[in-house]
Amino acid sequence: MKLTLAVSALVSLAGAQTLCDQYGYYSANGYYVNNNAWGKDAGSGSQCTYIDKALSPGIQWHTDWNWSGGQNNVKSYPYSGRTLSSKKLISQIGSMPTKAEWAYSGSNLRADVAYDIFTASDPNHDTSSGDYELMIWLAKKGDVQPIGSSTGTVNVAGRNWDLWVGYNGAMKVFSFVAPQEIATFESDVKPFFTHITNTQGFPASSQHLITFQFGTEPFTGNNARFNVWYWYGEVN
Ligand SMILES: *[C@@H]1O[C@H](CO)[C@@H](O)[C@H](O)[C@H]1NC(C)=O
């Protein structure tokens, strides 16, 4: 009896480190990881995500994928997220320090590497969308582009970005796109919110931070490996 219990405990621990189900999920030490393959039916392929190391603070993980077909459809969004103990108003947040170190390999890659951050007036809003979405694209592989259209170059947090604005249904999306890939990004995310508050009418005093995530959105490619050597995010 004891032996059976010990063996099944080991198996379930191993299962928690490798996520191949459509929404395979892991959570520990203030971080979570989702193999999220929400758009897989727009094409064909497969994807698995691996938790490599829980750090303190932060997490190391990677994802392997092949996706084809549905050229202009996002197939998935494997990501890591920071568990939020309380849903603060953006205006009450002092800083959002973060660091991402990553590398991509594979062929014919069409994907972004991006932060994905949702806000909502309702702190209990479903976390798969929001009233507003803030994206920070550290890389753009191939001919993919954000939602909406470019409003031109802006300087935020010491770097230039191409700021895209548009709508995904009712959700307003702001995407800051790096003109050159940033493989090691260490920054504060709060200035991005300050920028859209000051220039784009973002209502910081009535929107709550409901997610703080970093990952990749694959469209198509072969034998892809997205390695996140380190990801850390904090909300102060
Ligand atoms: C992707 O395709 C390659 C070549 O067929 C294969 O070796 C690899 O296991 C595939 N990876 C996934 C995650 O499907």
Side-chain angles (χ1 to χ4, degrees):
M1 188 60 179
K2 263 192 172 155
L3 185 64
T4 311
L5 277 176
V7 169
S8 68
L10 261 182
V11 168
S12 71
L13 181 64
Q17 314 293 307
T18 297
L19 313 172
C20 294
D21 292 346
Q22 186 176 10
Y23 295 102
Y25 186 80
Y26 161 95
S27 174
N29 304 317
Y31 288 83
Y32 56 99
V33 173
N34 193 333
N35 187 49
N36 192 349
W38 66 272
K40 73 183 184 71
D41 294 339
S44 59
S46 65
Q47 172 182 296
C48 288
T49 297
Y50 304 86
I51 314 318
D52 298 319
K53 203 182 270 182
L55 303 157
S56 59
I59 191 158
Q60 181 183 340
W61 59 279
H62 73 277
T63 192
D64 290 344
W65 56 264
N66 293 297
W67 294 112
S68 61
Q71 190 79 353
N72 295 318
N73 293 95
V74 172
K75 306 305 183 301
S76 64
Y77 171 49
Y79 66 86
S80 48
R82 180 72 169 99
T83 305
L84 302 175
S85 48
S86 68
K87 305 280 168 66
K88 291 183 181 165
L89 285 167
I90 298 299
S91 57
Q92 291 172 340
I93 293 173
S95 66
M96 293 174 65
T98 184
K99 185 171 183 181
E101 281 180 357
W102 59 274
Y104 234 129
S105 60
S107 42
N108 307 312
L109 298 183
R110 295 173 59 254
D112 65 46
V113 173
Y115 281 75
D116 200 9
I117 299 167
F118 292 130
T119 73
S121 59
D122 175 4
N124 299 312
H125 192 286
D126 182 84
T127 55
S128 61
S129 68
D131 301 336
Y132 293 88
E133 179 177 14
L134 169 65
M135 297 191 81
I136 303 171
W137 286 37
L138 302 186
K140 190 171 102 60
K141 301 282 187 189
D143 61 354
V144 303
Q145 63 181 48
I147 280 174
S149 53
S150 171
T151 64
T153 301
V154 297
N155 190 279
V156 177
R159 287 186 171 90
N160 283 337
W161 308 88
D162 191 12
L163 175 57
W164 290 60
V165 181
Y167 283 89
N168 182 356
M171 179 169 65
K172 192 164 190 179
V173 185
F174 300 100
S175 305
F176 292 82
V177 181
Q180 272 99 36
E181 286 193 8
I182 305 172
T184 300
F185 180 67
E186 189 164 13
S187 188
D188 182 358
V189 169
K190 182 65 198 292
F192 293 85
F193 278 114
T194 304
H195 181 85
I196 59 175
T197 303
N198 293 342
T199 69
Q200 300 284 335
F202 174 76
S205 54
S206 61
Q207 287 287 305
H208 299 85
L209 181 72
I210 61 168
T211 66
F212 188 9
Q213 301 169 350
F214 171 73
T216 182
E217 290 181 309
F219 290 69
T220 55
N222 313 111
N223 242 329
R225 171 162 291 185
F226 176 61
N227 256 311
V228 178
W229 306 116
Y230 185 60
W231 189 69
Y232 152 82
E234 193 54 89
V235 179
N236 298 312

